[in-house]
Amino acid sequence: MPAWIRRLVHGCDDVEAADSEAALERARQAMRAAEARQPTVEAVAATLRRAREENHFAERIEAAFRGAAQ
């Protein structure tokens, strides 16, 4: 039931307060979950960063050898 109908029927904003409290609690839970995942995310990001740098250096070395061979 939409909130405006509940207000018409019940005549109070208690439902909205409960809805907002529930939304706030869901947001807090999501924040805690994100904070718990942060070390894993940072570790994966570091691994990907190292792989990208290694690939970059490999490409530069290959380019240098191709340039010297021509």
Side-chain angles (χ1 to χ4, degrees), residues 37-50:
R37 287 189 308 267
Q38 188 63 29
T40 303
V41 170
E42 289 176 356
V44 170
T47 301
L48 292 173
R49 193 176 308 112
R50 279 192 300 275

Side-chain angles (χ1 to χ4, degrees), residues 2-70:
W4 67 272
I5 294 175
R6 282 192 297 251
R7 282 194 303 275
L8 284 175
V9 172
H10 299 291
C12 65
D13 290 334
D14 291 340
V15 175
E16 283 185 8
D19 288 345
S20 63
E21 287 296 324
L24 180 59
E25 184 54 36
R26 285 192 307 272
R28 287 179 177 155
Q29 287 175 352
M31 183 65 136
R32 286 191 293 268
E35 288 171 350
R37 287 189 308 267
Q38 188 63 29
T40 303
V41 170
E42 289 176 356
V44 170
T47 301
L48 292 173
R49 193 176 308 112
R50 279 192 300 275
R52 185 182 69 229
E53 289 172 358
E54 289 172 5
N55 187 42
H56 173 71
F57 290 133
E59 288 175 356
R60 290 187 66 182
I61 291 170
E62 287 176 14
F65 284 125
R66 278 194 305 258
Q70 292 177 351

